[in-house]
Coordinates of all heavy atoms in Angstrom, one line a residue:
M1 N 75.4 1.7 220.4 CA 75.3 2.4 219.1 C 75.5 1.4 218.0 O 76.1 0.3 218.2 CB 76.4 3.5 219.1 CG 77.8 3.0 218.7 SD 79.0 4.3 218.6 CE 79.6 4.3 220.3
I2 N 75.0 1.7 216.9 CA 75.1 0.9 215.7 C 76.1 1.5 214.7 O 76.0 2.6 214.3 CB 73.7 0.7 215.0 CG1 72.6 0.2 216.0 CG2 73.8 -0.2 213.8 CD1 72.9 -1.1 216.6
V3 N 77.1 0.7 214.4 CA 78.2 1.1 213.5 C 78.2 0.2 212.2 O 78.2 -1.0 212.4 CB 79.5 1.1 214.1 CG1 80.6 1.5 213.2 CG2 79.5 1.9 215.4
R4 N 78.1 0.8 211.1 CA 78.2 0.0 209.8 C 79.6 0.2 209.3 O 80.1 1.3 209.2 CB 77.2 0.5 208.8 CG 77.3 -0.2 207.4 CD 76.3 0.2 206.4 NE 75.0 -0.3 206.8 CZ 74.6 -1.6 206.6 NH1 75.4 -2.4 206.1 NH2 73.4 -2.0 207.0
I5 N 80.2 -0.9 208.9 CA 81.4 -0.9 208.1 C 81.0 -1.2 206.7 O 80.5 -2.3 206.4 CB 82.5 -1.9 208.6 CG1 82.9 -1.6 210.1 CG2 83.7 -1.9 207.7 CD1 83.9 -2.6 210.7
S6 N 81.1 -0.3 205.8 CA 80.7 -0.5 204.4 C 81.3 -1.8 203.8 O 82.5 -2.0 203.9 CB 81.1 0.7 203.5 OG 80.4 1.8 204.0
G7 N 80.4 -2.6 203.2 CA 80.9 -3.8 202.7 C 81.0 -5.0 203.6 O 81.3 -6.1 203.2
E8 N 80.8 -4.8 204.9 CA 81.0 -5.9 205.9 C 79.7 -6.1 206.7 O 79.4 -7.3 206.9 CB 82.1 -5.5 206.9 CG 83.4 -5.6 206.3 CD 84.5 -5.4 207.4 OE1 84.3 -5.9 208.6 OE2 85.5 -4.8 207.1
G9 N 79.0 -5.1 207.1 CA 77.8 -5.3 207.9 C 77.7 -4.3 209.0 O 78.5 -3.3 209.1
Q10 N 76.7 -4.5 209.9 CA 76.5 -3.6 211.0 C 76.9 -4.3 212.3 O 76.7 -5.5 212.5 CB 75.0 -3.3 211.1 CG 74.5 -2.3 210.1 CD 73.1 -1.9 210.4 OE1 72.2 -2.7 210.5 NE2 72.9 -0.6 210.5
F11 N 77.4 -3.5 213.2 CA 77.8 -4.0 214.5 C 77.1 -3.2 215.6 O 77.0 -2.0 215.5 CB 79.3 -3.9 214.7 CG 80.1 -4.7 213.7 CD1 80.3 -4.2 212.4 CD2 80.6 -5.9 214.1 CE1 81.0 -5.0 211.5 CE2 81.4 -6.6 213.1 CZ 81.6 -6.2 211.8
E12 N 76.8 -3.8 216.7 CA 76.3 -3.1 217.9 C 77.4 -3.0 218.8 O 78.1 -4.0 219.2 CB 75.1 -3.9 218.5 CG 74.5 -3.2 219.7 CD 73.4 -3.9 220.3 OE1 73.3 -5.2 220.2 OE2 72.5 -3.3 220.9
L13 N 77.7 -1.7 219.2 CA 78.9 -1.4 219.9 C 78.4 -0.7 221.2 O 77.6 0.2 221.2 CB 79.9 -0.5 219.1 CG 81.2 -0.3 219.7 CD1 82.0 -1.6 219.8 CD2 82.0 0.7 218.8
D14 N 79.0 -1.2 222.4 CA 78.6 -0.5 223.6 C 78.9 1.0 223.6 O 80.0 1.4 223.1 CB 79.4 -1.2 224.8 CG 78.9 -0.8 226.1 OD1 78.9 0.5 226.4 OD2 78.5 -1.7 226.9
E15 N 78.0 1.8 224.0 CA 78.1 3.2 224.1 C 79.4 3.6 224.8 O 80.0 4.7 224.5 CB 76.9 3.9 224.7 CG 76.9 5.4 224.7 CD 77.0 6.1 223.3 OE1 76.5 5.5 222.3 OE2 77.6 7.1 223.2
A16 N 79.8 2.8 225.8 CA 81.0 3.1 226.5 C 82.3 3.2 225.6 O 83.3 3.8 226.0 CB 81.3 2.1 227.6
R17 N 82.2 2.6 224.5 CA 83.4 2.6 223.5 C 83.4 3.8 222.6 O 84.3 4.0 221.9 CB 83.3 1.3 222.6 CG 83.3 0.0 223.4 CD 84.5 -0.1 224.4 NE 85.7 -0.1 223.8 CZ 86.9 0.3 224.4 NH1 86.9 0.6 225.6 NH2 88.0 0.3 223.7
H18 N 82.3 4.6 222.7 CA 82.2 5.9 221.9 C 83.5 6.8 222.0 O 84.0 7.2 221.0 CB 81.0 6.6 222.2 CG 80.8 7.8 221.3 ND1 81.1 9.1 221.7 CD2 80.3 7.9 220.1 CE1 80.8 9.9 220.7 NE2 80.3 9.2 219.7
P19 N 84.0 7.1 223.3 CA 85.1 8.0 223.3 C 86.4 7.4 222.6 O 87.1 8.2 221.9 CB 85.4 8.0 224.9 CG 84.1 7.8 225.5 CD 83.4 6.7 224.6
R20 N 86.6 6.1 222.7 CA 87.8 5.5 222.0 C 87.5 5.6 220.5 O 88.5 5.9 219.7 CB 88.0 4.1 222.4 CG 89.1 3.4 221.8 CD 90.5 4.0 222.1 NE 91.6 3.3 221.5 CZ 92.7 3.9 221.0 NH1 92.9 5.2 221.2 NH2 93.6 3.2 220.4
L21 N 86.3 5.3 220.0 CA 86.0 5.4 218.6 C 86.2 6.8 218.1 O 86.8 7.0 217.0 CB 84.5 5.0 218.4 CG 84.0 4.6 217.0 CD1 84.7 3.3 216.6 CD2 82.5 4.4 217.0
D22 N 85.8 7.8 218.8 CA 85.9 9.2 218.5 C 87.4 9.6 218.5 O 87.9 10.3 217.5 CB 85.1 10.1 219.4 CG 84.9 11.5 218.9 OD1 84.8 11.7 217.7 OD2 85.0 12.4 219.8
E23 N 88.2 9.1 219.4 CA 89.6 9.4 219.5 C 90.3 8.9 218.2 O 91.1 9.6 217.7 CB 90.2 8.7 220.7 CG 91.7 8.9 220.9 CD 92.1 8.1 222.2 OE1 91.3 8.0 223.2 OE2 93.2 7.6 222.2
L24 N 90.0 7.6 217.9 CA 90.7 7.1 216.7 C 90.2 7.8 215.4 O 91.1 8.0 214.5 CB 90.3 5.6 216.6 CG 91.0 4.7 217.6 CD1 90.4 3.3 217.7 CD2 92.5 4.6 217.4
D25 N 89.0 8.2 215.3 CA 88.5 8.9 214.2 C 89.2 10.3 214.1 O 89.7 10.6 213.0 CB 87.0 9.1 214.4 CG 86.3 9.9 213.2 OD1 86.6 9.7 212.1 OD2 85.5 10.8 213.6
N26 N 89.3 11.0 215.2 CA 90.0 12.2 215.2 C 91.5 12.1 214.8 O 92.0 12.9 214.1 CB 89.9 12.9 216.6 CG 88.5 13.4 216.9 OD1 87.7 13.6 216.0 ND2 88.2 13.6 218.1
A27 N 92.1 11.0 215.3 CA 93.5 10.8 214.9 C 93.7 10.5 213.4 O 94.6 10.9 212.8 CB 94.1 9.6 215.7
A28 N 92.7 9.8 212.8 CA 92.7 9.5 211.4 C 92.5 10.8 210.6 O 93.2 11.1 209.6 CB 91.6 8.5 211.0
V29 N 91.6 11.7 211.1 CA 91.4 13.0 210.4 C 92.7 13.8 210.5 O 93.2 14.4 209.5 CB 90.3 13.8 211.0 CG1 90.2 15.2 210.5 CG2 88.9 13.1 210.8
A30 N 93.3 13.8 211.6 CA 94.6 14.6 211.8 C 95.7 14.1 210.8 O 96.4 14.9 210.3 CB 95.0 14.6 213.2
A31 N 95.8 12.8 210.7 CA 96.7 12.2 209.8 C 96.5 12.6 208.4 O 97.4 12.9 207.7 CB 96.8 10.7 210.0
V32 N 95.2 12.6 208.0 CA 94.9 13.0 206.6 C 95.3 14.4 206.4 O 95.9 14.8 205.3 CB 93.4 12.7 206.3 CG1 93.0 13.4 205.0 CG2 93.1 11.2 206.2
E33 N 94.9 15.3 207.3 CA 95.2 16.7 207.2 C 96.7 17.0 207.1 O 97.0 18.0 206.4 CB 94.5 17.5 208.3 CG 93.0 17.4 208.2 CD 92.3 18.1 209.4 OE1 93.0 18.4 210.4 OE2 91.1 18.4 209.3
R34 N 97.5 16.2 207.7 CA 99.0 16.5 207.6 C 99.6 15.7 206.6 O 100.8 15.8 206.4 CB 99.6 16.4 209.0 CG 99.7 15.1 209.6 CD 100.5 15.1 210.9 NE 100.6 13.7 211.4 CZ 99.7 13.2 212.2 NH1 98.6 13.8 212.6 NH2 99.8 11.9 212.6
G35 N 98.8 14.9 205.8 CA 99.4 14.1 204.7 C 100.2 12.9 205.2 O 101.1 12.4 204.4
D36 N 99.9 12.4 206.3 CA 100.7 11.2 206.9 C 99.9 10.0 206.6 O 99.1 9.5 207.4 CB 100.9 11.5 208.4 CG 101.8 10.4 209.0 OD1 102.0 9.3 208.4 OD2 102.3 10.7 210.1
E37 N 100.2 9.3 205.5 CA 99.5 8.1 205.0 C 99.7 7.0 206.0 O 98.7 6.3 206.3 CB 99.9 7.7 203.6 CG 99.1 6.6 203.1 CD 99.4 6.3 201.6 OE1 100.1 7.1 201.0 OE2 98.9 5.3 201.1
A38 N 100.9 6.7 206.5 CA 101.1 5.6 207.4 C 100.3 5.8 208.7 O 99.7 4.8 209.2 CB 102.6 5.5 207.7
A39 N 100.3 7.0 209.2 CA 99.5 7.2 210.5 C 98.0 7.1 210.2 O 97.3 6.5 211.1 CB 99.8 8.6 211.0
F40 N 97.5 7.5 209.0 CA 96.2 7.4 208.7 C 95.8 5.9 208.8 O 94.8 5.5 209.4 CB 95.8 7.9 207.4 CG 94.5 7.4 206.9 CD1 93.3 7.9 207.5 CD2 94.4 6.4 205.9 CE1 92.0 7.3 207.1 CE2 93.2 5.9 205.5 CZ 92.0 6.4 206.1
H41 N 96.5 5.0 208.0 CA 96.2 3.6 208.0 C 96.3 3.0 209.4 O 95.4 2.1 209.7 CB 97.1 2.9 207.0 CG 96.8 3.2 205.6 ND1 95.6 2.7 205.0 CD2 97.4 3.9 204.6 CE1 95.5 3.2 203.8 NE2 96.7 3.9 203.5
E42 N 97.2 3.4 210.2 CA 97.4 2.8 211.5 C 96.1 3.1 212.3 O 95.5 2.3 213.0 CB 98.6 3.4 212.3 CG 98.7 3.0 213.7 CD 99.8 3.8 214.4 OE1 100.8 4.2 213.7 OE2 99.7 3.9 215.6
H43 N 95.6 4.4 212.3 CA 94.4 4.8 213.1 C 93.1 4.2 212.5 O 92.3 3.8 213.2 CB 94.4 6.3 213.2 CG 95.5 6.9 214.0 ND1 95.9 6.5 215.3 CD2 96.5 7.7 213.6 CE1 96.9 7.2 215.6 NE2 97.3 7.9 214.6
F44 N 93.1 4.2 211.2 CA 91.8 3.7 210.5 C 91.7 2.2 210.8 O 90.6 1.7 211.1 CB 91.9 4.0 209.0 CG 90.7 3.5 208.3 CD1 89.4 3.9 208.7 CD2 90.8 2.7 207.2 CE1 88.3 3.4 208.0 CE2 89.7 2.3 206.5 CZ 88.4 2.6 206.9
E45 N 92.8 1.5 210.7 CA 92.7 0.0 210.9 C 92.4 -0.3 212.4 O 91.7 -1.2 212.7 CB 94.1 -0.6 210.5 CG 94.2 -0.7 209.0 CD 95.6 -1.0 208.5 OE1 96.4 -1.6 209.3 OE2 95.9 -0.7 207.4
A46 N 92.9 0.6 213.3 CA 92.6 0.4 214.7 C 91.1 0.7 215.0 O 90.4 0.0 215.8 CB 93.5 1.3 215.6
L47 N 90.5 1.7 214.2 CA 89.1 2.0 214.3 C 88.3 0.8 213.9 O 87.4 0.4 214.6 CB 88.9 3.2 213.4 CG 87.5 3.8 213.4 CD1 87.1 4.5 214.7 CD2 87.4 4.9 212.2
L48 N 88.6 0.3 212.8 CA 87.9 -0.9 212.3 C 88.0 -2.1 213.2 O 87.0 -2.8 213.5 CB 88.3 -1.3 210.8 CG 88.1 -0.2 209.7 CD1 88.7 -0.7 208.4 CD2 86.6 0.1 209.6
A49 N 89.2 -2.3 213.7 CA 89.5 -3.4 214.6 C 88.6 -3.3 215.9 O 88.1 -4.3 216.4 CB 90.9 -3.5 214.9
L50 N 88.5 -2.1 216.4 CA 87.7 -1.9 217.6 C 86.3 -2.3 217.4 O 85.7 -3.0 218.2 CB 87.8 -0.4 218.0 CG 86.9 0.0 219.1 CD1 87.4 -0.5 220.5 CD2 86.7 1.6 219.2
V51 N 85.7 -1.9 216.3 CA 84.3 -2.3 216.0 C 84.2 -3.8 215.7 O 83.3 -4.4 216.3 CB 83.9 -1.5 214.7 CG1 82.5 -1.9 214.3 CG2 83.9 0.0 214.9
R52 N 85.1 -4.3 215.0 CA 85.0 -5.8 214.7 C 85.2 -6.6 216.0 O 84.6 -7.7 216.1 CB 86.1 -6.2 213.7 CG 85.9 -5.6 212.3 CD 87.0 -6.0 211.4 NE 86.9 -5.4 210.1 CZ 87.9 -4.8 209.4 NH1 89.1 -4.8 209.9 NH2 87.7 -4.4 208.2
T53 N 86.1 -6.3 216.9 CA 86.4 -7.1 218.0 C 85.5 -6.8 219.2 O 85.3 -7.7 220.0 CB 87.9 -7.0 218.4 OG1 88.2 -5.6 218.8 CG2 88.8 -7.4 217.3
E54 N 85.1 -5.6 219.4 CA 84.3 -5.3 220.5 C 82.8 -5.1 220.2 O 82.0 -5.0 221.1 CB 84.8 -4.1 221.2 CG 86.3 -4.3 221.7 CD 86.8 -3.3 222.7 OE1 86.0 -2.7 223.4 OE2 88.0 -3.1 222.7
G55 N 82.5 -5.1 219.0 CA 81.1 -5.0 218.6 C 80.5 -6.4 218.3 O 81.2 -7.4 218.2
R56 N 79.2 -6.4 218.3 CA 78.5 -7.7 218.0 C 77.9 -7.5 216.6 O 77.1 -6.6 216.3 CB 77.4 -7.9 219.0 CG 76.5 -9.2 218.8 CD 75.5 -9.3 219.8 NE 74.4 -8.3 219.8 CZ 73.3 -8.5 219.0 NH1 73.2 -9.5 218.3 NH2 72.4 -7.5 219.1
L57 N 78.3 -8.4 215.7 CA 77.8 -8.4 214.4 C 76.3 -8.7 214.3 O 75.9 -9.7 214.9 CB 78.6 -9.4 213.5 CG 78.2 -9.5 212.0 CD1 78.5 -8.2 211.3 CD2 78.9 -10.6 211.3
L58 N 75.6 -7.8 213.7 CA 74.2 -8.0 213.6 C 73.8 -8.7 212.3 O 74.5 -8.6 211.3 CB 73.4 -6.6 213.5 CG 73.6 -5.7 214.7 CD1 72.9 -4.4 214.5 CD2 73.1 -6.4 216.0
G59 N 72.8 -9.6 212.4 CA 72.4 -10.4 211.3 C 71.6 -9.5 210.2 O 71.2 -8.4 210.5
D60 N 71.5 -10.1 209.1 CA 70.8 -9.4 208.0 C 69.3 -9.1 208.4 O 68.7 -8.2 207.8 CB 70.8 -10.2 206.7 CG 72.2 -10.3 206.2 OD1 73.0 -9.4 206.5 OD2 72.5 -11.2 205.4
E61 N 68.8 -9.9 209.3 CA 67.4 -9.7 209.7 C 67.2 -8.5 210.7 O 66.1 -8.0 210.9 CB 66.8 -11.0 210.3 CG 67.4 -11.3 211.7 CD 68.8 -12.0 211.6 OE1 69.2 -12.3 210.5 OE2 69.3 -12.3 212.6
D62 N 68.3 -8.0 211.2 CA 68.3 -6.8 212.1 C 68.3 -5.6 211.3 O 69.3 -5.2 210.7 CB 69.5 -6.8 213.1 CG 69.4 -7.9 214.1 OD1 68.3 -8.1 214.7 OD2 70.4 -8.5 214.4
L63 N 67.2 -4.9 211.2 CA 67.1 -3.7 210.4 C 67.2 -2.5 211.3 O 66.2 -2.0 211.9 CB 65.8 -3.6 209.6 CG 65.6 -4.8 208.6 CD1 64.2 -4.8 208.0 CD2 66.7 -4.8 207.6
C64 N 68.4 -2.0 211.6 CA 68.6 -0.9 212.5 C 69.3 0.3 211.7 O 70.1 0.0 210.9 CB 69.5 -1.3 213.6 SG 68.9 -2.6 214.7
A65 N 68.9 1.5 212.0 CA 69.6 2.6 211.4 C 71.0 2.7 212.0 O 71.2 2.5 213.2 CB 68.8 3.9 211.6
S66 N 72.0 3.0 211.2 CA 73.3 3.1 211.6 C 73.6 4.5 212.2 O 73.2 5.5 211.7 CB 74.3 2.9 210.5 OG 74.1 1.7 209.9
D67 N 74.2 4.5 213.4 CA 74.6 5.8 214.0 C 75.9 6.3 213.4 O 76.1 7.5 213.3 CB 74.9 5.6 215.5 CG 73.6 5.2 216.3 OD1 72.6 5.9 216.1 OD2 73.6 4.2 216.9
V68 N 76.7 5.4 212.9 CA 78.0 5.8 212.3 C 78.2 4.8 211.1 O 77.9 3.6 211.2 CB 79.2 5.6 213.3 CG1 80.5 5.8 212.6 CG2 79.0 6.4 214.5
I69 N 78.7 5.4 210.0 CA 79.0 4.6 208.8 C 80.5 4.8 208.5 O 80.9 5.9 208.2 CB 78.1 4.9 207.6 CG1 76.6 4.7 208.0 CG2 78.5 4.1 206.4 CD1 75.7 5.2 206.9
L70 N 81.2 3.7 208.6 CA 82.6 3.8 208.2 C 82.9 3.2 206.9 O 82.2 2.3 206.4 CB 83.4 2.9 209.3 CG 83.3 3.3 210.8 CD1 84.0 2.3 211.7 CD2 83.8 4.7 210.9
P71 N 83.9 3.8 206.2 CA 84.2 3.3 204.8 C 84.8 1.9 204.9 O 85.2 1.4 206.0 CB 85.2 4.3 204.3 CG 85.5 5.2 205.4 CD 84.7 4.9 206.6
P72 N 84.9 1.2 203.8 CA 85.5 -0.2 203.8 C 87.0 -0.2 204.2 O 87.6 0.9 204.0 CB 85.3 -0.6 202.4 CG 85.1 0.6 201.6 CD 84.5 1.6 202.5
G73 N 87.5 -1.3 204.6 CA 88.8 -1.4 205.1 C 89.9 -1.2 204.0 O 91.0 -0.8 204.3
D74 N 89.5 -1.3 202.7 CA 90.4 -1.1 201.6 C 90.4 0.3 201.1 O 90.9 0.6 200.0 CB 90.1 -2.1 200.5 CG 88.8 -1.9 199.8 OD1 87.9 -1.1 200.4 OD2 88.5 -2.5 198.8
L75 N 89.9 1.3 201.9 CA 89.9 2.7 201.6 C 91.3 3.2 201.3 O 92.2 2.9 202.1 CB 89.3 3.5 202.7 CG 89.1 5.0 202.5 CD1 88.0 5.3 201.6 CD2 88.9 5.7 203.9
S76 N 91.5 3.9 200.2 CA 92.8 4.4 199.9 C 93.0 5.7 200.6 O 92.1 6.4 201.0 CB 93.0 4.6 198.4 OG 92.2 5.7 198.0
F77 N 94.3 6.1 200.7 CA 94.6 7.4 201.4 C 94.0 8.5 200.6 O 93.5 9.5 201.2 CB 96.1 7.6 201.5 CG 96.5 8.8 202.3 CD1 96.2 8.9 203.6 CD2 97.2 9.8 201.7 CE1 96.6 10.0 204.3 CE2 97.5 10.9 202.4 CZ 97.2 11.1 203.7
E78 N 94.0 8.4 199.3 CA 93.4 9.5 198.4 C 91.9 9.6 198.7 O 91.3 10.7 198.8 CB 93.7 9.2 197.0 CG 95.1 9.4 196.6 CD 96.0 8.3 197.0 OE1 95.5 7.1 197.3 OE2 97.2 8.5 197.2
E79 N 91.2 8.4 198.8 CA 89.8 8.4 199.1 C 89.5 9.0 200.5 O 88.5 9.6 200.7 CB 89.2 7.0 199.0 CG 89.2 6.5 197.5 CD 88.9 5.0 197.4 OE1 89.3 4.2 198.4 OE2 88.3 4.6 196.4
A80 N 90.4 8.7 201.4 CA 90.2 9.1 202.8 C 90.1 10.6 202.9 O 89.5 11.2 203.8 CB 91.3 8.6 203.7
G81 N 90.8 11.3 202.0 CA 90.8 12.8 202.0 C 89.4 13.3 201.8 O 89.1 14.4 202.3
A82 N 88.5 12.6 201.2 CA 87.1 13.1 201.1 C 86.3 12.7 202.3 O 85.3 13.5 202.6 CB 86.5 12.4 199.8
D83 N 86.6 11.7 203.0 CA 85.7 11.2 204.1 C 86.2 11.7 205.5 O 85.4 12.1 206.3 CB 85.7 9.7 204.2 CG 84.9 9.1 203.0 OD1 84.1 9.8 202.5 OD2 85.2 7.9 202.7
F84 N 87.5 11.7 205.7 CA 88.1 12.1 207.0 C 88.5 13.5 207.0 O 89.7 13.9 206.8 CB 89.3 11.2 207.3 CG 88.9 9.8 207.7 CD1 88.7 8.8 206.7 CD2 88.7 9.4 209.0 CE1 88.3 7.5 207.1 CE2 88.3 8.2 209.4 CZ 88.1 7.2 208.4
T85 N 87.5 14.4 207.2 CA 87.7 15.8 207.2 C 86.9 16.4 208.4 O 86.0 15.8 208.9 CB 87.2 16.5 205.9 OG1 85.8 16.3 205.8 CG2 87.9 16.0 204.7
G86 N 87.3 17.6 208.7 CA 86.6 18.3 209.8 C 86.4 17.5 211.1 O 87.4 17.2 211.7
E87 N 85.2 17.2 211.4 CA 84.9 16.5 212.7 C 85.0 15.0 212.5 O 84.7 14.2 213.5 CB 83.5 16.9 213.2 CG 83.5 18.3 213.6 CD 82.1 18.7 214.2 OE1 81.4 17.8 214.6 OE2 81.9 19.9 214.3
G88 N 85.3 14.5 211.3 CA 85.4 13.1 211.1 C 84.1 12.4 210.8 O 83.1 13.1 210.5
L89 N 84.1 11.1 211.0 CA 82.9 10.3 210.7 C 82.1 10.0 211.9 O 81.0 9.6 211.8 CB 83.4 9.0 210.0 CG 84.2 9.1 208.8 CD1 84.7 7.7 208.3 CD2 83.3 9.7 207.7
V90 N 82.7 10.1 213.1 CA 82.0 9.7 214.3 C 81.6 11.0 215.0 O 82.4 11.8 215.4 CB 83.0 8.9 215.3 CG1 82.2 8.6 216.6 CG2 83.5 7.7 214.6
P91 N 80.3 11.2 215.1 CA 79.8 12.4 215.8 C 80.2 12.5 217.3 O 80.3 11.4 217.9 CB 78.3 12.4 215.7 CG 77.9 11.0 215.2 CD 79.2 10.4 214.7
D92 N 80.5 13.6 217.8 CA 80.9 13.7 219.2 C 79.8 13.2 220.1 O 80.1 12.6 221.2 CB 81.2 15.2 219.6 CG 82.5 15.6 218.9 OD1 83.3 14.8 218.5 OD2 82.7 16.8 218.7
R93 N 78.6 13.4 219.7 CA 77.4 12.9 220.5 C 76.5 12.2 219.6 O 76.3 12.6 218.5 CB 76.7 14.0 221.2 CG 77.5 14.7 222.2 CD 76.7 15.9 222.8 NE 77.5 16.6 223.7 CZ 77.2 16.8 225.0 NH1 76.0 16.5 225.4 NH2 78.0 17.5 225.7
L94 N 75.9 11.1 220.1 CA 74.9 10.4 219.3 C 73.5 10.7 219.8 O 73.3 11.0 220.9 CB 75.2 8.9 219.4 CG 76.5 8.5 218.8 CD1 76.7 6.9 219.0 CD2 76.5 8.8 217.3

């Protein structure tokens, strides 16, 4: 799957990592919904770290549509309230 982190680039991530990505996304949504800023940052940073460490950064010459678009790492908790809602950013199925 192709995951874009806004402001950083696109990463190719093995489909086998999709359940963990979805789990962290759901945890971030739950943290936003209960107003737990510390838990949101913990889960959001883990989500970004998963993509950065287990994904392969694609070059600018790779023009692939993104399956998932994540906000930048400096996303504020207030901004997260607009993005991390409902089913989150990672679709259950791609």
Side-chain angles (χ1 to χ4, degrees):
M1 83 178 87
I2 304 298
V3 180
R4 172 176 293 282
I5 299 176
S6 297
E8 288 186 35
Q10 283 187 308
F11 297 81
E12 183 176 25
L13 190 64
D14 190 302
E15 182 62 30
R17 304 306 299 155
H18 184 263
R20 180 66 178 144
L21 199 67
D22 195 34
E23 177 183 327
L24 290 169
D25 180 46
N26 290 338
V29 169
V32 168
E33 289 177 348
R34 67 177 183 272
D36 187 341
E37 184 172 354
F40 164 73
H41 285 293
E42 176 185 335
H43 297 301
F44 182 52
E45 289 167 19
L47 181 70
L48 296 176
L50 174 72
V51 174
R52 291 174 182 140
T53 60
E54 298 195 27
R56 180 178 67 87
L57 180 62
L58 299 176
D60 292 337
E61 67 281 358
D62 290 319
L63 300 175
C64 301
S66 299
D67 298 304
V68 176
I69 300 174
L70 300 175
D74 62 352
L75 181 75
S76 72
F77 185 65
E78 290 73 25
E79 293 168 327
D83 291 335
F84 286 86
T85 61
E87 295 182 17
L89 301 174
V90 179
D92 291 338
R93 294 179 184 233
L94 296 177

